[in-house]
Amino acid sequence: MEIMSLINALPGAAAQGLIWGIMAIGVYLTYRILDIADLTVDGSMCTGGAVCIMMMLAGNNVWISMAAALAAGMAAGLVTGLFHTFMGIPAILSGILSQLGLWSVNLKIMGKANQAINVDKFPLLVSMRFNKNVPFFKNTILIVVLVTVILIAILYWFFGTELGCSLRATGCNGKMARAQGINTDFSRVLGLMISNGLVAFSGALLTQYQGFADINMGRGAIVIGLAAVIIGEAVFGKIFKNFGFKLLSVSFGSIIYYLVLQVVIWRGIDTDLLKLLSALVVAVFLAIPVWKEKYFSGIGKKSGGPGKNLQERGGRA
């Protein structure tokens, strides 16, 4: 019976992992492309959910509500970008300031700490109740998979354009990008807007899925996003070399994260420790490349002998 309870919970974990995977793709864009750890996502996740639910409660179509959530997230990213570029505030502090301000903004949007929406009264795109025993075309997993594939295709196309390449160049080497005539401030602002737009879009889907928006729903989102990015790279990094597949690996990493989380809960681990466990997983995976470089590469150089060391330094044996 215990195994059956775990199996029954897996579709829900996979659906939730896919939804958070869209948020993780947004984190990937700032963390890997722009080389910024943007903490705005802890606030913009809730902003997307709050805007979506209030728009739907006001009688708007689900797609219009989700588009509004996307726009609200992009506005949050714009504020962070202006803090960083126009005002000269360090990127990580800019994200913290935006996240702090969004707490009040989100409360004002919802009018209170949480808002609920009933799947029986509103035509939601996804819901917990759509995981099983529903027509194939209404299944939450299928819908979120399609949305994820479309988003990845759009991002793959965009980052192949001249503007997208300028964003990648800015994150790779800002000084060189400026020397090539790229407006790096604009690139950073645009990158933060796209990232937080995706995060808010994910928040809009999550709100529909769980049936409510809560002021705390985005707390710790950056840790989950980084966990998904790092797990995806660790598991699929040697297989997926193409940029589009790298984005897909982030989504897979989020699914793996939530499946593991479900197993941990099933094993009876105290749920109060889940955030600590997530932080430790991210810390360990971030440390692995450093450990490999510091300890294991040193062993390889010693075993290669002095001649090999000279060659590696550009000298001759």
Side-chain angles (χ1 to χ4, degrees), residues 36-257:
I36 295 173
D38 179 29
L39 298 182
T40 312
V41 299
D42 281 21
S44 58
M45 183 90 179
C46 180
T47 301
V51 169
C52 180
I53 200 168
M54 296 309 294
M55 290 282 288
M56 291 197 71
L57 289 174
N60 291 289
N61 178 277
V62 64
W63 293 106
I64 294 173
S65 302
M66 290 175 67
L70 177 70
M74 293 184 76
L78 174 63
V79 171
T80 301
L82 292 176
F83 279 161
H84 177 46
T85 56
F86 181 69
M87 299 179 69
I89 301 171
I92 192 163
L93 185 54
S94 298
I96 292 171
L97 290 173
S98 295
Q99 176 200 136
L100 185 64
L102 284 172
W103 176 275
S104 297
V105 172
N106 295 337
L107 275 175
K108 280 295 182 184
I109 291 171
M110 292 191 291
K112 54 183 180 179
N114 51 67
Q115 288 279 2
I117 192 164
N118 193 325
V119 67
D120 294 324
K121 296 180 181 178
F122 294 88
L124 304 182
L125 186 65
V126 295
S127 171
M128 285 183 182
R129 286 164 54 179
F130 297 164
N131 286 334
K132 293 182 288 186
N133 303 321
V134 292
F136 182 70
F137 61 89
K138 286 188 70 175
N139 187 277
T140 292
I141 294 175
L142 173 66
I143 290 172
V144 182
V145 164
L146 289 174
V147 169
T148 302
V149 169
I150 292 169
L151 287 174
I152 289 174
I154 293 170
L155 289 171
Y156 182 76
W157 166 80
F158 172 75
F159 279 98
T161 64
E162 185 177 347
L163 183 57
C165 287
S166 71
L167 264 71
R168 297 168 78 170
T170 299
C172 185
N173 191 324
K175 291 181 180 178
M176 182 62 74
R178 277 194 300 275
Q180 297 298 319
I182 296 171
N183 186 334
T184 53
D185 285 349
F186 174 77
S187 295
R188 289 192 180 97
V189 172
L190 181 60
L192 286 164
M193 288 177 68
I194 294 170
S195 170
N196 283 282
L198 288 172
V199 171
F201 189 82
S202 173
L205 285 171
L206 183 63
T207 290
Q208 294 176 62
Y209 180 77
Q210 62 191 14
F212 65 91
D214 185 84
I215 194 67
N216 292 313
M217 68 182 281
R219 182 169 290 181
I222 185 65
V223 176
I224 297 172
L226 287 173
V229 170
I230 293 161
I231 291 170
E233 289 179 340
V235 176
F236 304 102
K238 301 238 175 181
I239 306 169
F240 295 160
K241 301 295 185 183
N242 178 277
F243 178 70
F245 284 116
K246 285 182 179 180
L247 295 179
L248 191 61
S249 73
V250 173
S251 186
F252 288 158
S254 179
I255 296 169
I256 292 170
Y257 172 82

Side-chain angles (χ1 to χ4, degrees), residues 299-317:
I299 294 170
K301 286 177 182 177
K302 287 178 185 177
S303 64
K308 185 174 180 182
N309 286 335
L310 281 170
Q311 287 175 353
E312 287 174 353
R313 292 172 190 160
R316 294 184 180 178

